């Protein structure tokens, strides 16, 4: 995913009258949702959301909904609400007249008392649902009411907005989430009654802050407005953000960076930054500052944090300001994990496709480009829908994530068009990850039973629900029925402009017919099987993982007779069940046992590395059954040969010295060839 530099802008605003009971802050392009507890994808298919109101051609109220906690608006407690398809949530549940989709300035006679407004939406599309979901734990839960894939009056664009009620603090958030060609004119704010309201500046003509480019379906491009009940204090410093590297090779020093926002009415000229690890507290006293009200000050803590060992280090980071009356926003917690070595990152691309999908040739072209450019690092699965190559569990899992075809999922974290895959690859390929994944597969050609042994070598300490997953794909898939014909909307399109598609995947799509006959089609990367289900095999990895540990899990699979054993690929990966993100993965070696003589052939030699992992010097032990010419290579994680030796050796044991000064921390392969036989084994060097 493209690393986006997030502009953090906060503009405080006072209420309209001298005795106002609300003030608000604008968190523009903050790149997260309030409190960071809602990390769901912004898609109609996001799981766990209940439907409050279906689409309606004209504005309507929903039925009365119950809140999961008591929420106070303007000091009055409420336990239920209803919401209109025009973007108004009201606690006055007896209100009858429905506000139109044309917004006006607040206060307005069209709005009931005790209402929260994202006024100016409409619900004309088939996906235009109002949905709700509760996040977090008591007593700090958030209740979200989301206008999901909503319409704009007189427009074909779409938009996502959320109204968020915060338990205990009774804060109201209005979240600008996701927009595409959305010409909005909204009135944002709180109306207490017909004479008292608190609006975001620019109402009733507010557009999405990111209308032109805010279509990402995570919080990267989100903004929100925070309404606080009470009087704005003179002194209030907020630890707005704190950033540390999630994973870092140990031992090393890392900077702790972040930003402080001034939520008070007085200029901040001095404060103290602190962070704590274990019993140690590191202060950083700053003077001579000039942080104006609503201003942001970016900092780097004066004392870098030393990640001494390959362990997890919980950090608490906070700000201290004399006279600060609000301690609830002073502190943030982060965790950094030291790694014993740096695993090589591979990336999983899962593309939703189908022979019925006229734009899906685009996916084939860009998947083919990845395969050609990055054959050992890009793990590719074409997940078919509605055609003879469908694997139902895989199809259902991907279908719940994407919003259309063709669309793809990268590491179960980024959802985008296949045309963006190469850009995403370049953005993620150097990410630091905590685990290296490999696999070996043996297929009995007679029984067609595949035994897949997945292995995960963890560079750091982890705690959580982590799982092995994997897939079988097949190349060169063909068929003779009409369902194997590829619908091709690029047929007859010009070779430039919006519908330009580069030559690829074996076709000049612009010059070929629609559909392309089955006899002329060959499909690659076809997803044939999932190991462990879509979200991974439960209990396949321990919940507490120590650094430098290796864990394995064995899957078995009977390959259908119609699949060509020689065209199969087996992929394995490790994912975090809580976030569904794929940490890392790898390709499996495949051995096909013919059944002619399955008895093992005695090896001509054996090879071993000790100690493994090694932090000082080590040795490669080689034992030969008979004399011969021996070639030994040591290859690092980037494929570079760091040691190459060739010699004539007699039968028996031999040792090669490994000196620590010639090997940096990381994962290595020892490859030994004697005559026509080659063996390889891995070892890890720790710092």
């Amino acid at each position: 995913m493209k690393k986006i530099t997030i502009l953090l802008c906060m503009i405080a605003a006072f209420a309209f009258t001298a005795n106002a009971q609300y003030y608000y802050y604008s968190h523009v392009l903050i790149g997260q949702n309030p409190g960071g507890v809602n990390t769901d994808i912004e898609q109609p298919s996001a799981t766990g959301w209940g439907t409050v109101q279906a689409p309606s051609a004209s504005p309507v109220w929903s039925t009365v909904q119950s809140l999961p906690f008591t929420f106070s608006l303007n000091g009055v407690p409420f336990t239920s609400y209803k919401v209109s398809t025009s973007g108004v949530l009201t606690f006055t549940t007896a209100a009858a007249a429905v506000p139109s989709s044309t917004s006006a300035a607040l206060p307005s006679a069209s709005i009931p008392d005790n209402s929260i407004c994202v006024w100016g939406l409409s619900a004309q599309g088939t996906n235009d649902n109002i949905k709700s979901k509760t996040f977090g734990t008591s007593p700090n839960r958030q209740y979200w009411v989301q206008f999901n894939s909503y319409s704009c009056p007189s427009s074909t664009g779409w938009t996502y907005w959320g109204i968020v009620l915060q338990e205990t603090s009774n804060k109201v958030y209005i979240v600008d989430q996701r927009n595409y060609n959305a010409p909005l004119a909204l009135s944002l704010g709180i109306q207490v009654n017909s004479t008292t309201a608190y609006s975001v500046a620019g109402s009733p003509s507010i557009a999405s802050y990111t209308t032109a480019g805010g279509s990402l379906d995570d919080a990267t491009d989100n903004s929100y407005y925070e309404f606080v009940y009470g009087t704005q204090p003179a002194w209030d410093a907020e630890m707005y953000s704190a950033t540390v590297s999630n994973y870092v090779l140990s031992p090393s020093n890392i900077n702790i960076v972040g930003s402080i926002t001034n939520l008070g009415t007085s200029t901040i000229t001095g404060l103290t930054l602190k962070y704590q690890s274990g019993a140690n507290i590191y202060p950083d006293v700053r003077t001579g500052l000039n942080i104006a009200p609503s201003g942001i000050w970016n900092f780097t803590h004066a004392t870098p944090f030393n990640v001494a060992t390959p362990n997890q280090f919980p950090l608490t980071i906070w700000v201290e300001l004399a006279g600060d009356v609000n301690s609830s926003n002073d502190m943030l917690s982060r965790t950094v994990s030291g790694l014993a070595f740096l695993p090589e990152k591979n990336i999983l691309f899962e593309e939703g496709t189908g022979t019925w999908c006229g734009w899906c040739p685009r996916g084939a072209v860009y998947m083919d480009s990845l395969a050609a450019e990055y054959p050992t690092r890009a793990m590719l699965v074409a997940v078919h829908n509605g055609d003879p190559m469908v694997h139902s569990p895989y199809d259902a899992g991907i279908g719940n994530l994407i919003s259309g075809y063709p669309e793809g999922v990268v590491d179960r974290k980024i959802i985008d068009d296949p045309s963006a895959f190469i850009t995403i690859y370049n953005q993620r390929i150097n990410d630091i990850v905590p685990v290296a994944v490999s696999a070996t597969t043996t297929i009995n050609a007679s029984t067609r039973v595949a035994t897949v042994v997945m292995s995960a070598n963890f560079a750091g300490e982890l705690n959580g629900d982590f799982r092995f997953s994997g897939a079988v794909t097949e190349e060169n898939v063909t068929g003779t029925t009409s369902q194997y014909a590829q619908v091709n909307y690029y047929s007859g399109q010009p070779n430039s402009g919006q519908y330009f598609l580069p030559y690829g995947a074996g076709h000049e799509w612009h010059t070929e017919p629609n559909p392309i006959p089955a006899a002329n089609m060959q499909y690659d990367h076809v997803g044939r099987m999932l190991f462990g289900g879509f979200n991974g095999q439960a209990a396949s990895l321990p919940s507490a993982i120590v650094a430098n540990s290796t864990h394995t899990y064995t899957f078995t699979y009977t390959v259908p007779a119609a699949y060509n054993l020689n065209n199969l690929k087996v992929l394995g990966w490790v994912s975090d069940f809580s976030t569904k993100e794929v940490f890392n993965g790898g390709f499996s070696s495949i051995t096909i046992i013919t059944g002619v003589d399955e008895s093992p052939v005695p090896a001509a030699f054996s090879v071993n590395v000790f100690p493994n992992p090694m932090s000082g010097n080590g040795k490669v032990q080689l034992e030969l059954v008979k004399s011969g010419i021996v070639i030994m290579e040591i290859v690092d994680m980037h494929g570079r040969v760091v040691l190459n030796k060739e010699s004539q050796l007699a039968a028996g044991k031999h040792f090669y010295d490994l000196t620590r000064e010639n090997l940096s921390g990381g994962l290595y392969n020892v490859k030994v060839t004697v005559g026509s036989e080659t063996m390889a084994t891995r070892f890890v060097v720790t710092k």
Side-chain angles (χ1 to χ4, degrees), residues 121-181:
L121 300 175
S122 65
Q124 302 168 12
T126 56
N127 285 331
D128 294 2
N129 293 294
I130 302 175
K131 295 188 174 185
S132 67
K133 186 174 181 179
T134 303
F135 294 89
T137 57
S138 179
N140 299 301
R141 290 171 289 180
Q142 286 184 356
Y143 182 74
W144 279 67
V145 177
Q146 181 173 273
F147 299 91
N148 189 294
S149 189
Y150 240 58
S151 296
C152 316
S154 304
S155 169
T156 58
W158 46 260
T159 187
Y160 287 68
W161 288 78
I163 293 175
V164 185
L165 309 179
Q166 177 79 48
E167 186 180 19
T168 304
S169 71
N170 293 309
K171 290 182 179 179
V172 173
Y173 300 96
I174 296 175
V175 188
D176 179 356
Q177 296 180 272
R178 190 177 181 215
N179 298 272
Y180 179 74
N181 289 341

Side-chain angles (χ1 to χ4, degrees), residues 35 117 179 369 378 432 465 631:
C117 297
N179 298 272
S369 297
I432 298 175
D465 188 352
I631 301 173

Side-chain angles (χ1 to χ4, degrees), residues 71-102:
F71 181 82
S72 293
L73 185 77
N74 202 46
V76 180
F78 296 99
T79 58
S80 61
Y81 72 94
K82 64 182 182 181
V83 60
S84 75
T85 54
S86 53
V88 177
L89 183 153
T90 186
F91 297 106
T92 305
T93 56
V98 186
S100 74
S101 291
T102 301

Side-chain angles (χ1 to χ4, degrees), residues 316-367:
T316 303
I317 307 160
W318 72 96
V319 58
E320 293 180 356
L321 173 68
D324 193 328
V325 298
N326 180 15
S327 61
S328 64
N329 58 12
D330 294 347
M331 184 177 295
L332 293 173
S333 297
R334 298 290 184 265
T335 298
V336 59
S337 295
L339 302 182
F341 61 94
L342 293 180
E344 182 179 77
K345 170 65 175 165
N346 298 315
I347 304 175
L348 176 65
F349 295 85
E350 297 165 300
E351 177 223 3
T353 188
T355 62
W356 55 267
C357 168
W359 299 119
C360 284
R362 180 167 73 249
V365 168
Y366 288 100
M367 292 278 278

Side-chain angles (χ1 to χ4, degrees), residues 12 31 40 146 160 169 262 269 313-314 348 428 534 576 640 665:
D40 283 3
Q146 181 173 273
Y160 287 68
S169 71
N262 182 359
T269 59
F313 296 91
L348 176 65
R428 291 182 65 81
F534 189 72
D576 182 343
R640 296 185 293 257

Side-chain angles (χ1 to χ4, degrees), residues 626-646:
K626 59 182 180 180
S627 62
I629 296 176
V630 177
I631 301 173
M632 184 188 75
E633 292 181 330
I634 296 180
V635 183
D636 69 12
M637 68 183 78
H638 303 292
R640 296 185 293 257
V641 177
V642 298
L643 179 66
N644 188 325
K645 290 190 175 183
E646 181 175 342

Side-chain angles (χ1 to χ4, degrees), residues 235 262 266-271 286-291 321:
W235 302 103
N262 182 359
S266 302
T267 298
I268 296 175
T269 59
L271 51 76
R286 300 297 185 99
T287 59
L289 304 178
N290 184 24
I291 312 173
L321 173 68

Side-chain angles (χ1 to χ4, degrees), residues 187-405:
S187 197
L188 305 180
I190 296 173
Q191 179 160 318
V192 176
N193 53 46
S194 60
T195 60
T196 305
Y198 311 97
S199 296
V200 174
S203 297
S205 300
I206 295 178
S208 166
Y209 195 86
T210 53
T211 295
S215 62
L216 296 176
D217 60 4
D218 62 11
T220 303
D221 55 0
N222 287 8
S223 303
Y224 63 82
Y225 306 91
E226 175 183 1
F227 288 82
V228 184
Y229 180 63
T231 302
Q232 188 174 15
W235 302 103
D236 186 7
E238 177 187 41
M239 179 63 68
Y240 189 61
S241 68
T243 303
V244 296
S245 301
N246 290 330
Y247 305 106
V248 62
L249 186 66
S250 63
S252 61
N253 292 323
I254 61 169
N255 286 325
I256 296 175
V257 300
S259 59
I260 303 295
T261 56
N262 182 359
L263 302 185
T265 60
S266 302
T267 298
I268 296 175
T269 59
L271 51 76
T272 300
L273 301 168
K274 291 184 178 180
Y275 75 88
Q276 181 171 3
S277 174
N280 298 317
I281 297 176
Y282 303 90
D284 181 5
V285 179
R286 300 297 185 99
T287 59
L289 304 178
N290 184 24
I291 312 173
S294 310
I296 289 183
W297 174 63
N298 298 317
F299 69 84
T300 298
H301 197 283
T303 305
F305 177 62
N306 179 243
V307 185
T309 58
N311 297 102
Q312 286 188 322
F313 296 91
L315 302 177
T316 303
I317 307 160
W318 72 96
V319 58
E320 293 180 356
L321 173 68
D324 193 328
V325 298
N326 180 15
S327 61
S328 64
N329 58 12
D330 294 347
M331 184 177 295
L332 293 173
S333 297
R334 298 290 184 265
T335 298
V336 59
S337 295
L339 302 182
F341 61 94
L342 293 180
E344 182 179 77
K345 170 65 175 165
N346 298 315
I347 304 175
L348 176 65
F349 295 85
E350 297 165 300
E351 177 223 3
T353 188
T355 62
W356 55 267
C357 168
W359 299 119
C360 284
R362 180 167 73 249
V365 168
Y366 288 100
M367 292 278 278
D368 190 63
S369 297
L370 282 169
E373 291 292 326
Y374 314 110
T376 63
R377 307 288 296 277
M379 303 160 55
L380 308 174
V381 186
V383 183
H384 280 256
N385 169 269
D387 65 28
M389 292 166 281
V390 67
H391 179 64
S392 296
Y394 217 153
D395 176 35
I398 291 296
N400 284 332
L401 295 179
I402 64 177
S403 59
Y405 294 81

